[in-house]
């Protein structure tokens, strides 16, 4: 078996956001990097679809916490603002409810307090208190959770130096006996406001009634750091990272699917492609789904501990996505919108417990033409519609299920979002089902967001970026720590790269930015 030498690259499996972040960080620190991508495009889920003058982001559409991207570009002494034109959006979301109520989620906390008090006296103070608690959790996450490889609560603590009275207070503040949904309901009484705030778990594809309370920190991250749109769409982010990577000497190998990760004496030494090519590697970063990486690519290594900890965790939800090129824009829509279910508890029960599509689903809409007119012909709209569904279950045939569910979605938009003539306005259309997502991106059972963030104690944790089972193997992407969503997937790539850089012999051109 071929062994790596000092000239061998670090191989990154997968050119999703986590893989690109890892490649840029490693290359900026002086390492040779080769990225192998199974598909013929780079960027993973952050792809695009074009037809007849319409352009759609196919995957993520919401960018938050842009300072993560700033750090990645900063590794190469490049200013993010020189590569990306980001526009801050306000309102962040517009919410539509069955009873005709509309609520805008805005940057201005005082304005939100006034609006929520109009709906239910006292909820304004409850919202302010929620944001204060969320800020505390965000600060704790920055100290103990972000920017380092974490696979469980003990990884967050250095018992010899940091476990003191202040640390104990922080641990207790995590409210490990509670859930995100409970923390919201302790402070907010109006069901519509509760439903709006529950959907901070949109980023991790999980049930707010089962998600740990620490995820309440998402609220402050969004209020503090804002919601942003990169001109050209979120697809502009991987494009900018690919350009940076190439400037740093990264070699991209699209159309290269990996058969297995090679190892000798418990250390990753390279990869073998499905065509039999052997590429020696000083280390391997896998941006493939973490569970599938360990089950399908790693051989000759004891992975029983990994399976006990992660193999039993359920995947997060999947989804149906409609890409609708319309010949008109709906002026009452914001850039980002939610059209909410009439009964959220019933919706969550269907998706996360019974494993069936919700009969009355919540629909997320992105209507980017109001920010970026180039996405559609003049006067038109490139409408993106996402409805969460269960991950792929045995016996569900989405080829048969899709036509009916498409109509359920359109009827919901006509009834609750004022899009009464939407079917007559469609000029181009495309869609993805859970099966399409599974086949296109290779996540576990079609899950968009990796493993579900369920469980009060362990729900916030994902597989660590530094694989314990195999030295020299690092995990990145939404199915590894710190989890799903654009900033978290990017952060995971940075962490994986930072771990590899510190574990490998120093390179003369390298540099390290301390977390």
């Amino acid at each position: 078996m071929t062994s790596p030498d000092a000239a061998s690259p670090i191989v990154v499996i997968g050119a999703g956001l986590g893989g690109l972040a890892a490649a840029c960080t490693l290359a900026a620190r002086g390492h040779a990097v080769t990225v192998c991508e199974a598909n013929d495009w780079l960027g993973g889920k952050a792809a695009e679809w074009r037809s007849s003058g319409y352009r759609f982001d196919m995957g993520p559409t919401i960018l938050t916490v842009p300072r993560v991207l700033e750090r990645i570009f900063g590794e190469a002494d490049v200013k993010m603002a020189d590569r990306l034109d980001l526009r801050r959006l306000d309102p962040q979301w517009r919410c539509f409810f069955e009873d005709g109520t509309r609520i805008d989620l805005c940057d201005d906390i005082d304005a939100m307090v006034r609006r929520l008090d109009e709906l239910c006296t006292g909820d304004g103070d409850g919202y302010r208190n929620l944001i204060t608690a969320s800020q505390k959790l965000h600060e704790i996450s920055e100290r103990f959770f972000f920017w380092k490889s974490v696979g469980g609560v003990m990884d967050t603590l250095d018992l010899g130096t940091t476990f003191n009275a202040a640390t104990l207070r922080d641990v207790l503040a995590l409210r490990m006996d509670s859930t995100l949904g409970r923390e919201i309901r302790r402070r907010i009484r109006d069901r519509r406001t509760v439903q709006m705030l529950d959907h901070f778990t949109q980023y991790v594809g999980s049930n707010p009634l089962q998600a740990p309370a620490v995820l309440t920190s998402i609220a402050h991250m969004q209020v503090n750091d804002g919601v942003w749109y990169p001109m050209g769409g979120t697809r502009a982010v991987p494009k900018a990272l690919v350009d940076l990577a190439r400037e740093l000497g990264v070699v991209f190998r699209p159309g290269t699917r990996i058969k297995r990760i090679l190892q000798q004496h418990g250390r990753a030494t390279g990869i073998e492609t499905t065509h039999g090519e052997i590429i020696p590697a000083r280390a391997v970063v896998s941006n493939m789904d973490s569970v599938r990486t360990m089950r399908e690519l790693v051989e000759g290594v004891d992975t029983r501990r990994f399976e006990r900890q992660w193999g039993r965790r359920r995947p997060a939800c999947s989804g149906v996505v409609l890409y609708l090129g319309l010949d008109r824009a709906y002026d009452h829509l914001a850039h980002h919108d939610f059209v909410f279910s009439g009964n959220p508890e019933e919706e969550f029960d269907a998706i996360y417990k019974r494993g069936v599509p919700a009969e009355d689903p919540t629909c997320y809409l992105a209507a980017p033409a109001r920010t970026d007119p180039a996405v559609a012909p003049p006067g038109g709209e490139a409408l993106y519609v996402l409805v969460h569904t269960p991950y792929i279950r045995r016996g569900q045939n989405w080829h048969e299920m899709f036509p009916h569910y498409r109509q359920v979605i359109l009827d919901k938009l006509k009834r609750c979002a004022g899009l009464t003539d939407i079917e007559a306005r469609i000029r181009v259309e495309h869609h993805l089902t859970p099966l399409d997502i599974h086949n296109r991106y290779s996540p576990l059972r079609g899950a968009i967001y990796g493993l579900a963030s369920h469980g009060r104690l362990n729900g916030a944790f994902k597989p660590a970026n530094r694989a314990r089972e195999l030295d020299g193997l690092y995990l990145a992407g939404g199915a590894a720590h710190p989890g799903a969503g654009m900033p978290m997937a990017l952060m995971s790539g940075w962490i994986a790269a930072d771990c590899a850089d510190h574990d490998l012999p120093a390179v003369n051109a390298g540099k390290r930015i301390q977390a």
Side-chain angles (χ1 to χ4, degrees), residues 392-449:
I392 294 172
R393 304 295 182 102
R394 186 174 295 125
Q396 292 181 352
N397 185 330
W398 274 101
H399 292 299
E400 297 176 356
M401 296 165 61
F402 173 73
H404 168 73
Y405 209 58
R406 172 188 180 274
Q407 194 61 51
V408 168
I409 295 168
L410 294 178
D411 288 345
K412 177 72 176 182
L413 300 182
K414 289 187 287 185
R415 186 175 71 252
C416 299
L419 310 188
T420 54
D421 62 345
I422 186 171
E423 289 185 87
R425 296 298 187 175
I426 298 172
R427 294 296 172 264
V428 300
E429 181 173 354
H430 186 51
H431 70 267
L432 294 178
T433 69
L435 182 61
D436 297 322
I437 292 167
H438 178 80
N439 291 336
R440 182 178 173 89
Y441 303 117
S442 301
L444 183 66
R445 301 181 76 171
I448 299 174
Y449 309 93

Side-chain angles (χ1 to χ4, degrees), residues 105-143:
L105 182 64
C106 299
D107 280 352
D108 189 327
I109 293 176
D110 291 334
M112 286 302 304
V113 166
R114 292 191 293 271
R115 174 63 175 127
L116 298 185
D117 268 336
E118 291 174 1
L119 297 171
C120 181
T121 302
D123 276 1
D125 287 341
Y127 177 75
R128 195 187 298 277
N129 182 270
L130 181 72
I131 295 301
T132 299
S134 173
Q135 180 176 357
K136 175 69 172 176
L137 292 171
H138 184 190
E139 291 168 352
I140 294 171
S141 295
E142 288 284 351
R143 287 199 295 275

Side-chain angles (χ1 to χ4, degrees), residues 145-146 178-181 198 200-218 310 312-318 352 388 391 447-463 477-485 488:
F145 192 71
F146 293 156
S178 188
T179 65
L180 179 146
D198 271 348
F200 283 120
T201 56
Q202 167 87 5
Y203 298 111
V204 295
S206 299
N207 183 349
L209 303 177
Q210 296 176 267
V214 68
L215 293 185
T216 310
S217 62
I218 296 172
W310 306 112
R312 299 173 184 175
R313 286 270 293 270
R314 289 190 175 187
C317 67
S318 188
Y352 299 106
H388 281 165
Y391 58 83
I448 299 174
Y449 309 93
L451 297 173
S453 297
H454 292 162
R456 298 176 187 182
L457 179 61
N458 293 317
F461 296 107
K462 300 293 184 291
H481 173 75
M488 299 299 105

Side-chain angles (χ1 to χ4, degrees), residues 343-354:
N343 189 326
E345 289 80 10
E346 186 175 287
E347 178 188 21
F348 297 147
D349 184 73
I351 297 171
Y352 299 106
K353 293 185 179 179
R354 292 188 286 123

Side-chain angles (χ1 to χ4, degrees), residues 194-255:
V194 167
Q195 201 168 5
M196 175 181 71
L197 299 175
D198 271 348
H199 271 67
F200 283 120
T201 56
Q202 167 87 5
Y203 298 111
V204 295
S206 299
N207 183 349
L209 303 177
Q210 296 176 267
V214 68
L215 293 185
T216 310
S217 62
I218 296 172
H220 179 259
M221 280 187 264
Q222 182 159 309
V223 169
N224 185 64
D225 290 276
V227 169
W228 300 81
Y229 176 79
M231 294 301 287
T234 49
R235 176 67 183 160
V237 173
K239 285 182 177 178
L241 291 173
V242 168
D243 288 345
L244 176 64
R246 284 181 168 144
E247 292 168 17
L248 296 170
V250 173
V251 175
F252 286 98
R253 297 275 305 270

Side-chain angles (χ1 to χ4, degrees), residues 84-207:
L84 290 166
D85 179 5
L86 300 186
R87 307 289 176 91
R88 188 162 182 157
L89 303 179
D90 196 21
Q92 298 179 344
W93 303 335
R94 178 162 292 161
C95 303
F96 297 84
F97 297 87
E98 285 274 355
D99 65 359
T101 302
R102 296 183 189 177
I103 307 175
D104 283 356
L105 182 64
C106 299
D107 280 352
D108 189 327
I109 293 176
D110 291 334
M112 286 302 304
V113 166
R114 292 191 293 271
R115 174 63 175 127
L116 298 185
D117 268 336
E118 291 174 1
L119 297 171
C120 181
T121 302
D123 276 1
D125 287 341
Y127 177 75
R128 195 187 298 277
N129 182 270
L130 181 72
I131 295 301
T132 299
S134 173
Q135 180 176 357
K136 175 69 172 176
L137 292 171
H138 184 190
E139 291 168 352
I140 294 171
S141 295
E142 288 284 351
R143 287 199 295 275
F144 297 110
F145 192 71
F146 293 156
W147 304 110
K148 63 179 180 177
S149 179
V150 170
V153 67
M154 295 308 297
D155 291 338
T156 67
L157 305 173
D158 181 345
L159 297 181
T161 60
T162 66
F163 197 79
N164 50 36
T167 301
L168 182 59
R169 286 195 297 271
D170 284 343
V171 171
L172 294 175
L174 294 176
R175 298 195 63 84
M176 292 181 180
D177 62 331
S178 188
T179 65
L180 179 146
R182 178 181 291 182
E183 292 304 301
I184 292 170
R185 286 158 180 78
R186 288 179 60 233
R187 297 168 171 87
I188 305 295
R189 290 181 295 169
D190 188 89
R191 285 179 60 84
R192 295 160 296 187
T193 303
V194 167
Q195 201 168 5
M196 175 181 71
L197 299 175
D198 271 348
H199 271 67
F200 283 120
T201 56
Q202 167 87 5
Y203 298 111
V204 295
S206 299
N207 183 349

